[in-house]
Amino acid sequence: MPQTCCRALAVPSDIETSLENKGSTPQDTPVERVASKEKEWTGPNQYREERRLNRAIVEAPDAEYVLATIIEALNKPHWGKPRKIPLSPLNCATGLHRIAKRMDEASMWKSEKLTFARRQEMKAFLRAAVKAFPECSAQGLANIAWALSKIGSSALFEEEMDHLADAALDKLSEFNAQNLANTAGAFASMLHAAPALFDAIAQRAVEVAGSFRPLELVQILWAFACLNHPLDPLFDSLDVQLVENPDAAAATFRGFSQQQLASMAWSCAVLQQQERPWFISLWKCVNSRATTWTSEADRKPKGVQHMCQLYQANLALKLECADLALTTEKELEIMLEEAWEKEKAANKLSSGDHREVDRLLVSTTGRAWVSEYEGAPYSLDLALVDARVAIEIDGPTHFSRNTGILLGHTVLKRRLLRSAGWTVFPIPFQEWEELRGEQERALFLRTLLEGSI
C-alpha cells in the first residue's frame, strides 16, 4: 500500500549494508590523526577554547574526523575549575550538525549512519550534548533536531528527542519561522510525537506567520499532518491574512512549486481543513496549474509521490466536501488516478502476519477474503468485497514510535474508506504479536468481526 504520504520530505532509502572500520592500524585512526595536527590550546579563556574547537569541527573533512575532534576535546583536561558540561552548547550543536552534513555529503546509506550512531564514541558525545540542550540557542536546538533526524531517522535517539523537546519548549519564544519548521519537520520525520511541544509550536507559528517562506510553511504543515497534530491557530491566521487582503489571493501561492502545493493540499486533507478560505484558494491555484503537472519533471519518482498526495486531497474533497463544489480539471484528475494506481501496484507487500490472518480468516468465517484488494479508494490488506468489510494489519509505520498514536496518513485512509462505505477493522501489530497460538488468534478474529459479516 502506498506510504508516500508520510514521506513528503525525502527520507533516505533503507538500504542494508555495513559500515567498515576506517583505518585498520592504530596510527591511522581519526583520533590520532587529529591529535597529530591540532596544537594544544593555550590560555584559560574558555571562549577562545570554544571558538577554536568550533572551527576545528567546521573544518573537519568527514564525519569520522568531526567525531574524533569532539572525543579528543571531551578527553582533554580543562583549564581552571571543571565546567558543568564538557562541551559548550555551540560545540554540541555544531558537532551534531556537521556529522549529519558530512554524512549526507558522503551519501552514506541509512544502515551506515545507524552503525556510526551506535558507536561508543558517538554515545559519549550524545551524553555530553544532552547536558547542553537547556543552554542551546533556538538555532542550535533546531540544528540539533535536524541532525538527529538525519543520523538516526526513526530508529534511534528516542530519549534524546524527549530531552530536546523539553529544551525547545523552554526556548520557543526565541524560535523564528525557520527554526519552527526545521524542528517540527525533524520530529515528524523521526515519527516522534511531542504533543506539548507541538501545541506550543502551533501558537508560536501564529506570531511569526507572516515570515514563513514557502518551504518552511510546507514543512510545518507536513509535520503536523504527519503526526496528526492539530494546527488550527496557524490556519486561522492564514485565513485572516487572506480575508483581510482578498486582492492578494492570486499571489498567495505564486512562490510555491507544484510539489509544494500538493504537499500542502495533502496536509490540509489530513487535518480536515478543506473548508477554509485558505485551502479553497490553494485548490484554485492547483487547478490553474493543471497543464504543468504533465511535464516530464513531475513524472519522476518524487513528482509521482506528490501526485499521489494530490490524488488523496482530491479524493477527500469528493468524499467529504462535495458541497464545496471544488472541481478538478479533468486532465489533471486522470493523471492523478494513473499515478495512484501505479503507486498502489508498486507497493503490494504481504507480511507473515498478513498471510497468517488471511489463512485464519477463511477457517474462522468460512468466507473467501480477497488479499490486497484494489477496488477500493485505497489498497486493502484483506477485503470481504460483497459486505464492504476490510481488515488492515497495521505495522510500525502506522504509529508514532514513542506514543503509539496513529499517524496522519493512516488516519486519512481510515476516514476516506469510511466515507466510501467501507467498514475497516484494524489489527495493530502489537496486539497481534501478543496473541499466542492459532486458537487464541482465531478467537481474536471471531470477536473482532462479530456482528459485521
Side-chain angles (χ1 to χ4, degrees), residues 246-298:
D247 294 337
T252 301
F253 302 102
R254 187 172 294 159
F256 292 83
S257 69
Q258 279 109 276
Q259 293 180 354
Q260 289 172 339
L261 293 175
S263 179
M264 292 192 297
W266 175 83
S267 298
C268 289
V270 172
L271 298 172
Q272 295 183 279
Q273 303 294 326
Q274 302 100 308
E275 296 186 5
R276 288 185 175 272
W278 187 84
F279 175 82
I280 293 172
S281 182
L282 164 65
W283 197 254
K284 289 178 179 178
C285 182
V286 168
N287 271 296
S288 71
R289 299 191 193 179
T291 56
T292 63
W293 283 90
T294 61
S295 66
E296 183 181 350
D298 288 317

Side-chain angles (χ1 to χ4, degrees), residues 22-23 25-39 62-76 116 119-122:
K22 292 180 170 54
T25 59
Q27 62 267 28
D28 288 333
T29 61
V31 171
E32 294 193 15
R33 293 204 310 270
V34 172
S36 67
K37 293 186 178 182
E38 287 292 324
K39 294 183 178 179
D62 54 41
E64 290 275 3
Y65 209 98
V66 174
L67 183 58
T69 302
I70 290 164
I71 293 302
E72 187 193 26
L74 281 173
N75 293 333
K76 182 180 293 186
F116 187 100
R119 289 166 51 177
Q120 292 304 313
E121 299 94 331
M122 190 66 182

Side-chain angles (χ1 to χ4, degrees), residues 12 57-58 60-67 70 91-110 112-114 116-117 122 125-126 140 142-153 157 186 189-190:
I57 291 171
V58 169
D62 54 41
E64 290 275 3
Y65 209 98
V66 174
L67 183 58
I70 290 164
N91 296 152
C92 292
T94 305
L96 286 169
H97 183 269
R98 283 290 152 169
I99 286 174
K101 185 177 176 66
R102 297 300 186 222
M103 284 179 167
D104 280 354
E105 290 172 350
S107 300
M108 288 179 68
W109 289 326
K110 179 180 177 180
E112 290 181 301
K113 292 180 179 182
L114 295 180
F116 187 100
M122 190 66 182
F125 176 28
L126 284 167
N143 285 348
I144 290 170
W146 175 85
L148 292 179
S149 71
K150 287 290 185 179
I151 299 168
S153 61
F157 306 142
S189 66
M190 299 177 82

